[in-house]
């Protein structure tokens, strides 16, 4: 009987460790503006002690194709000092963010640009396009801090 108890105890501990580990693995965010000629998007990615930036405008291919999952971040690594400015991001993503649909408001509808967020959490990817003029109150603090640094 002891081996069965041991098996269930180990299984329970494994379940708890995976269920409680809903940590943010990476955050990709940026501003995109459709009414410009060059450098129309600046997208950042923070993960595992590194901060990268992508100013290639490849993001717009995903927007045009209406497939945000097709956007593959390819940026250059920034300095450690730049990373330290944003290291708070991984621990500050509000749970409320996940309750919203893919599109919040009407981002980039009338020359106000749009905010892009991609969160990698527990192996899952969540994307959001947010209208800067319609940020919901329960995520305003996070969004405004993220996009004003």
């Amino acid at each position: 009987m002891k081996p069965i108890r041991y098996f269930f105890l180990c299984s329970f501990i494994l379940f708890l460790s995976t269920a409680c580990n809903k940590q943010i693995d990476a955050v990709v965010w940026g501003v995109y503006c459709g009414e410009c000629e060059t450098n129309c998007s600046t997208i950042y990615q923070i993960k595992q002690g590194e901060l990268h930036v992508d100013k290639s405008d490849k993001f717009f291919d995903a927007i045009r194709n209406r497939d945000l999952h097709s956007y593959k971040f390819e940026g250059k690594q920034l300095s450690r000092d730049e990373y330290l400015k944003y290291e708070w991001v991984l621990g500050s993503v509000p749970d409320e963010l996940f309750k919203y649909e893919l599109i919040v408001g009407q981002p980039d509808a009338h020359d106000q640009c749009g905010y892009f967020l991609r969160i990698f959490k527990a192996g899952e990817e969540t994307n959001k396009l947010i209208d800067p003029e319609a940020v919901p109150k329960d995520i305003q603090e996070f969004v405004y801090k993220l996009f004003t640094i």
Side-chain angles (χ1 to χ4, degrees):
M1 200 62 142
K2 273 189 172 183
I4 293 175
R5 283 186 190 174
Y6 182 72
F7 171 77
F8 284 115
L9 178 62
C10 289
S11 298
F12 183 69
I13 289 171
L14 181 61
F15 168 76
L16 285 179
S17 67
T18 57
C20 296
N21 190 14
K22 298 290 184 182
Q23 172 179 332
I24 303 297
D25 301 312
V27 176
V28 179
W29 78 96
V31 175
Y32 63 96
C33 302
E35 298 295 324
C36 72
E37 294 182 29
T38 59
N39 294 333
C40 299
S41 65
T42 301
I43 311 291
Y44 295 91
Q45 179 184 56
I46 191 165
K47 65 178 184 177
Q48 304 163 350
E50 296 180 355
L51 178 67
H52 295 82
V53 65
D54 178 359
K55 294 184 178 185
S56 69
D57 288 344
K58 291 180 184 178
F59 177 75
F60 283 100
D61 292 337
I63 292 287
R64 276 190 285 282
N65 296 332
R66 298 179 186 266
D67 181 15
L68 287 177
H69 296 290
S70 69
Y71 172 65
K72 302 300 179 212
F73 185 90
E74 296 176 14
K76 72 171 202 158
Q77 186 168 348
L78 298 176
S79 71
R80 177 82 176 145
D81 288 341
E82 286 295 314
Y83 167 78
L84 292 174
K85 290 180 191 175
Y86 291 98
E87 71 179 336
W88 62 269
V89 173
L90 292 172
S92 299
V93 176
D95 289 335
E96 292 81 10
L97 181 68
F98 297 96
K99 73 180 181 184
Y100 292 102
E101 298 293 323
L102 167 65
I103 299 174
V104 178
Q106 296 180 329
D108 204 28
H110 62 88
D111 240 3
Q112 84 280 29
C113 299
Y115 295 152
F116 169 63
L117 275 169
R118 175 178 285 166
I119 313 294
F120 292 96
K121 180 178 180 178
E124 293 186 23
E125 175 185 313
T126 301
N127 291 295
K128 304 292 179 196
L129 298 174
I130 302 173
D131 182 341
E133 297 175 348
V135 179
K137 289 189 186 310
D138 55 353
I139 62 171
Q140 277 181 355
E141 182 179 344
F142 172 75
V143 170
Y144 290 150
K145 183 176 179 183
L146 184 61
F147 287 96
T148 57
I149 284 187

